Amino acid sequence: MLRTIFKRPDLLAVAALVALSTQAPAQTATSSTSTHNHSNQAKEPVLINETEIQPRDLSDWEADWQSVYPFLQDGTLDPVMAHKAESGKKSAEDYRAYYEAGYKTDVERILIDGSSVTFFRDGQPVQGQYTNDGYEILTYASGNQGVRFIFEKSGGDAAAPQFIQFSDHEIVPTKVDHYHLYWGDDRAELLTEVTNWPTYFHADLSGAEIADGMMAH
């Protein structure tokens, strides 16, 4: 599996804020089945034990999902940024700018049903059928590692991306409450994207509920 070093900002900033969990791998592994940890004090890089990784199907992410980006834009997440600044090393404005780059997307909704993934832009759907294309282990400049689970288009609309790559801090089959998704037509190039990570939560959650969850986590 691929092990490539990428430069990116402090991964902990993402892990501590984006949710009920979030973007990059955490700094210390807390179990054999997850790379997820929210400690801002951890200093040891998290390394992935490849023998513990298990194949995952699209059923792990089967649901109706909404982008968190609009809630950042309309101010719903402002209290989260202020909360983060209280114990972080940046101002609320700096955190907001960081997540502006990370969350940014024009895909406001994603519907995953079986092998079908439908992307909605301004309410207009583009649908693709996807099959499992394995996973890649990425090693970042900080020393942290993370896993992306990859699916390749096997049919559907021409406009649907050829590849989608999930990052959700898990390395075995499990349902998740949010994920980060990368998509495009070049598998290898897509793996180098580490600054923009569109993030999706269940569509039945309000912005206030998402914000409360982020601050309580």
Side-chain angles (χ1 to χ4, degrees), residues 39 64-65 75 86 96 104 106 117 119 123 125 130 164 174 185-186 215:
S39 172
D64 194 352
W65 303 91
E86 290 176 0
R96 191 186 189 287
K104 188 174 184 179
D106 61 356
V117 180
F119 301 82
Y130 291 87
I164 55 176
T174 186
D185 294 329
D186 186 320
M215 289 187 289

Side-chain angles (χ1 to χ4, degrees), residues 17 19 76 78-84 208 210-217:
L17 182 60
T76 301
D78 284 355
V80 182
M81 303 301 151
H83 179 74
K84 176 64 177 175
I210 292 173
D212 286 346
M214 288 180 177
M215 289 187 289
H217 198 66

Side-chain angles (χ1 to χ4, degrees), residues 139-157:
T139 301
Y140 304 108
S142 65
N144 291 317
Q145 292 183 325
V147 180
R148 288 197 197 173
F149 291 89
I150 304 171
F151 296 83
E152 183 175 8
K153 186 171 69 173
S154 59
D157 298 331

Side-chain angles (χ1 to χ4, degrees), residues 2 6 148 163 165 185-193:
L2 180 72
F6 296 121
R148 288 197 197 173
F163 293 95
Q165 302 180 355
D185 294 329
D186 186 320
R187 188 184 193 276
E189 181 179 355
L190 197 57
L191 290 168
T192 69
E193 175 56 72

Side-chain angles (χ1 to χ4, degrees), residues 159-180:
Q162 189 64 30
F163 293 95
I164 55 176
Q165 302 180 355
F166 290 88
S167 173
D168 62 11
H169 325 289
E170 302 294 341
I171 61 175
V172 299
T174 186
K175 294 290 188 179
V176 295
D177 51 33
H178 84 283
Y179 60 85
H180 316 283

Side-chain angles (χ1 to χ4, degrees), residues 12 31 35 38 42 55 61 69 110 123 125 130 133 153 163 169 174 176-177 180 183 201 207:
L12 284 177
S31 76
T35 62
H38 291 291
W61 303 279
Y69 184 50
I110 295 177
Y130 291 87
D133 193 39
K153 186 171 69 173
F163 293 95
H169 325 289
T174 186
V176 295
D177 51 33
H180 316 283
W183 60 83
F201 288 83

